[in-house]
Amino acid sequence: FSCVCCSVFKSTSVMASEENNILGANKGFEADGTPIVKGRYTVQESTGEGCLPTMNETSLKEAALANGGYETPELNDKLYLHFKGYRRIENLQAYTGLVSIWLDSNGFDKIEGLTHLVNLRSLFLQKNLIAKIEGVACLTNLVQIDLSENRIRMLSGLQTLTNLHTLNLGKNFLETTESVRHLVDCPTLTNIDMNNNELKEEGIIDEVLAKLPKLTASNFDGNPMVREVGNFRKKMVVACKSLRYLDRPIFDNERACSEAWAEGGYELERKVKKEWAQKKRDESKQSLQDFRDWQAELRKEKG
């Protein structure tokens, strides 16, 4: 009888142990309580941040290989980490050769973990939760930054980026002249996109944009200032001497007419517009005449 009891007790113990192991595995833990790591996920309890994907060595390697990159981190010059559900930028220390990195469409609320990527030229951080521009001061080779569709209300942290040409700040929460005055500290900018913010003050034109000597293209579509500032387009063209694109191309005749408007009002603008129209007709006429002369010369040679 005692042998039977011992056997039953041992069987029950083994079954309980196996059940605990199964439950532990279902919850994301080994039998000893260690979290199970699978790919880019650290599997833990069904609640809490432990269930979210993290940027670890394995997930970064998988992302590199999935897009034609290399297993050795230093050999990669681009890295696609968009639409991953990450909450923190981390563990990129080994990727020192990166030139471009896509971090858009995640859940980042802070720019961090990038200071060692000194060769970086393109940084894509759109569609996140970023409220402040920081953590990029050391990235002096940056040429392009996309921070559209974030939560930025005040510009800062870009003054050391002496090679920055393109800045996308569309669909943020910029409102006043002060909120964008920092752009004056970025004289190398050639392309700025600030569509669908809440910009409304005319001072943005004269106090900020006019002080960017290389600005050639900009987009302010969807901002109140486009509707509320009288003659917005003309004022932009006159203030920004190198501007060639403002939501649509700016041709030489439009610049000439805008500058005439600024100098002598609508009367001078109409006069210049007529002169440009006549100039275009004369050029067309001359081009047609040149073609006819060329045809006549060919006939003469054949005849």
Side-chain angles (χ1 to χ4, degrees), residues 205-228:
I205 300 174
D206 298 323
E207 300 177 29
V208 180
L209 300 174
K211 296 182 179 180
L212 299 177
K214 297 183 179 181
L215 184 62
T216 57
S218 62
N219 182 6
F220 289 90
D221 187 44
N223 284 280
M225 64 187 295
V226 176
R227 304 183 303 271
E228 297 173 7

Side-chain angles (χ1 to χ4, degrees), residues 79-103:
L79 194 58
Y80 297 92
L81 299 173
H82 53 313
F83 293 101
K84 300 289 187 182
Y86 295 141
R87 301 294 293 275
R88 288 191 63 191
I89 304 172
E90 55 187 343
N91 298 318
L92 290 168
Q93 291 83 351
Y95 291 81
T96 53
L98 287 180
V99 176
S100 302
I101 185 168
W102 282 259
L103 294 165

Side-chain angles (χ1 to χ4, degrees), residues 182-195:
H182 179 63
L183 292 176
V184 176
D185 298 326
C186 308
T188 57
L189 283 172
T190 60
N191 187 348
I192 299 174
D193 190 340
M194 289 198 282
N195 74 85

Side-chain angles (χ1 to χ4, degrees), residues 3-162:
C3 290
V4 173
C5 288
C6 288
S7 176
V8 172
F9 178 76
K10 287 180 180 178
S11 283
T12 305
S13 298
V14 170
M15 291 175 63
S17 177
E18 290 179 352
E19 184 178 358
N20 287 337
N21 287 341
I22 292 171
L23 289 172
N26 288 338
K27 290 181 179 180
F29 292 91
E30 302 287 1
D32 61 357
T34 306
I36 299 172
V37 178
K38 295 181 179 179
R40 65 178 181 270
Y41 297 95
T42 301
V43 185
Q44 293 182 358
E45 295 286 351
S46 60
T47 58
E49 288 193 356
C51 289
L52 296 172
T54 58
M55 291 174 64
N56 55 46
E57 182 180 351
T58 303
S59 65
L60 292 173
K61 189 179 295 184
E62 288 176 355
L65 293 173
N67 292 280
Y70 304 95
E71 190 170 352
T72 303
E74 296 86 350
L75 297 179
N76 292 282
D77 61 356
K78 57 181 178 294
L79 194 58
Y80 297 92
L81 299 173
H82 53 313
F83 293 101
K84 300 289 187 182
Y86 295 141
R87 301 294 293 275
R88 288 191 63 191
I89 304 172
E90 55 187 343
N91 298 318
L92 290 168
Q93 291 83 351
Y95 291 81
T96 53
L98 287 180
V99 176
S100 302
I101 185 168
W102 282 259
L103 294 165
D104 52 293
S105 305
N106 283 286
F108 304 128
D109 59 6
K110 183 178 181 181
I111 305 175
E112 58 185 341
L114 300 174
T115 54
H116 54 284
L117 305 180
V118 294
N119 295 313
L120 206 61
R121 292 173 62 84
S122 298
L123 175 59
F124 300 95
L125 279 164
Q126 66 269 30
K127 296 183 180 178
N128 280 289
L129 305 171
I130 297 165
K132 181 181 180 182
I133 304 175
E134 57 186 340
V136 297
C138 298
L139 309 180
T140 55
N141 286 314
L142 273 176
V143 174
Q144 176 183 10
I145 302 179
D146 193 335
L147 286 163
S148 59
E149 298 189 54
N150 277 285
R151 298 179 174 180
I152 299 169
R153 296 181 180 275
M154 181 72 66
L155 301 187
S156 62
L158 300 172
Q159 66 274 11
T160 61
L161 307 184
T162 54

